[in-house]
Amino acid sequence: MNLPRPLRTAAAPALLTATALLALTACGSSEADSRSGAADTVEIRIPDPGNSGVLALGKKDGSLDRALAEAGAKVRWTGSAGPFAPAAQAMNADQLDIATGSITSGITSLAQRPGFKFFTAVAPDAAGEGILVRNGSGIGSVADLVGKKVAVNQGGTGEYLLLKALDKAGIPAGKVERVYLRPDQTAAVFNAGKVDAWAVWATYAVAEIGSGKAHFVADGAAIGSDNYSLNAVRTGFAEQHPGVVRALYRYLHDAAAKEKQDPAAYLNVFTDVGPTAVTGRAKEVQTAFTRKGGTVDPIGPEDIERFEDVAGFYAEQKVTPDQVDVAAHLLDIEKLK
């Protein structure tokens, strides 16, 4: 039986930080103890989604657990949102079952003996990612980045966006200085003027654009980005509990359709004040990005072709030593039983 093709969602990647990985290492569990409560209830370990997105609302109203209960499972929220690389390490170490990341960060993680597979694809975010510059910086095009410093996360979305933008503009990568920084450490550096630009995605761009002090000199559409967002599952979990993975997919389908219809309802799920709240102009920016974003779909042949293009580009740019075989690490969600 074919599953319905779901609406893609532009929700920001829900990933683990390095700190969360350490916490997971301290309290990690094995496949043998991945069941709790009722003897036949499977626990699926997912990073805590924070204050926004379909998983945040699913956590708050219990709808995700209700959906998974039909497959004999429930969520154990663990860690917190952050970069994909430590989340991949946590899946490899049997400390996490689900994570979300970009194809770019996914490729660099796949080069490290991965213990996970990707099972959904969200089309590149044409509006919410790009090369961010401060208003009044004098940088009006990608060509103006020559001789400048640009903050990127190494091997992930930021480095890809910068290299892709330079390649499209015919500018040698060596003409621009890449400053490798963790995304959660970059805003202060960017706003202090210690870098001239920031190659970044919606998770961090929304606050900067919403402040009225920054804008994209080139967004994902202008760059020609193939930076898909993907959901990953630990290989062992998918092999033992394919029905749970399929139930999660169905949930993301239903919730994503509702989110695109009413993006604001999926912001500030737990609180509308404090550092995790999206307010003012930033809320308008995030809502617009979500409406323009992609949908969660099974991974199709056309997606795989674009994944391979990114892998080839990364090898060409020496981000990876060789071209990663992405197709070997994909699941066909419609064939899971």
Side-chain angles (χ1 to χ4, degrees), residues 28-47:
S29 64
S30 66
E31 188 75 37
D33 60 22
S34 66
R35 297 168 180 265
S36 69
D40 58 350
T41 299
V42 176
E43 281 194 340
I44 181 168
R45 297 163 296 181
I46 302 177

Side-chain angles (χ1 to χ4, degrees), residues 10-30:
L15 314 171
L16 291 179
T17 62
T19 301
L21 177 61
L22 293 176
L24 282 169
T25 303
C27 62
S29 64
S30 66

Side-chain angles (χ1 to χ4, degrees), residues 34-332:
S34 66
R35 297 168 180 265
S36 69
D40 58 350
T41 299
V42 176
E43 281 194 340
I44 181 168
R45 297 163 296 181
I46 302 177
D48 189 280
N51 195 33
S52 297
V54 297
L55 291 178
L57 190 58
K59 177 184 179 181
K60 181 178 181 179
D61 65 14
S63 59
L64 178 56
D65 266 336
R66 289 194 294 274
L68 292 178
E70 296 182 9
K74 68 176 182 178
V75 176
R76 171 146 62 97
W77 301 107
T78 184
S80 58
F84 184 70
Q89 293 173 25
M91 286 188 288
N92 293 346
D94 189 14
Q95 296 158 358
L96 186 67
D97 299 313
I98 299 291
T100 305
S102 64
I103 183 58
T104 49
S105 58
I107 285 170
T108 52
S109 294
L110 285 175
Q112 319 272 327
R113 298 182 63 189
F116 61 89
K117 293 183 183 295
F118 294 111
F119 66 98
T120 71
V122 179
D125 188 356
E129 65 179 15
I131 312 296
L132 197 69
V133 298
R134 293 180 299 279
N135 295 346
S137 67
I139 299 173
S141 69
V142 172
D144 293 332
L145 296 175
V146 171
K148 299 293 197 296
K149 296 179 178 180
V150 182
V152 302
N153 59 313
Q154 188 171 14
T157 292
E159 188 162 28
Y160 169 78
L161 291 172
L162 176 60
L163 291 173
K164 188 75 173 177
L166 294 175
D167 183 68
K168 186 173 183 180
I171 299 169
K175 294 287 187 179
V176 175
E177 182 180 348
R178 278 170 269 176
V179 179
Y180 293 124
L181 292 170
R182 272 180 23 199
D184 59 348
Q185 296 175 331
T186 307
V189 177
F190 174 73
N191 287 304
K194 295 180 180 179
V195 294
D196 301 291
W198 182 6
V200 67
W201 60 100
T203 303
Y204 302 97
V206 165
E208 304 304 322
I209 295 172
S211 73
K213 298 178 181 179
H215 65 279
F216 284 137
V217 69
D219 60 15
I223 291 170
S225 171
D226 278 326
N227 186 39
Y228 280 75
S229 177
L230 309 174
N231 282 302
V233 59
R234 185 171 59 81
T235 304
F237 188 92
E239 290 172 347
Q240 296 194 28
H241 310 295
V244 178
V245 179
R246 190 168 62 169
L248 175 61
Y249 171 88
R250 288 182 179 275
Y251 179 83
L252 294 174
H253 156 47
D254 295 338
K258 296 174 183 177
E259 183 187 32
K260 285 189 70 69
Q261 292 172 357
D262 186 11
Y266 292 79
L267 296 175
N268 305 329
V269 171
F270 291 98
T271 179
D272 57 6
V273 297
T276 64
V278 183
T279 59
R281 173 61 180 157
K283 187 173 183 179
E284 297 174 12
V285 172
Q286 180 63 74
T287 298
F289 285 169
T290 301
R291 286 202 176 104
K292 293 176 183 177
T295 56
V296 176
D297 280 334
I299 298 170
E302 70 285 356
D303 302 316
I304 298 173
E305 183 176 347
R306 293 174 73 179
F307 297 168
E308 291 173 345
D309 286 344
V310 176
F313 181 73
Y314 258 23
E316 176 186 313
Q317 296 289 326
K318 309 301 182 186
V319 177
T320 57
D322 300 295
Q323 182 164 340
V324 174
D325 183 6
V326 180
H329 304 283
L330 305 177
L331 289 179
D332 186 342

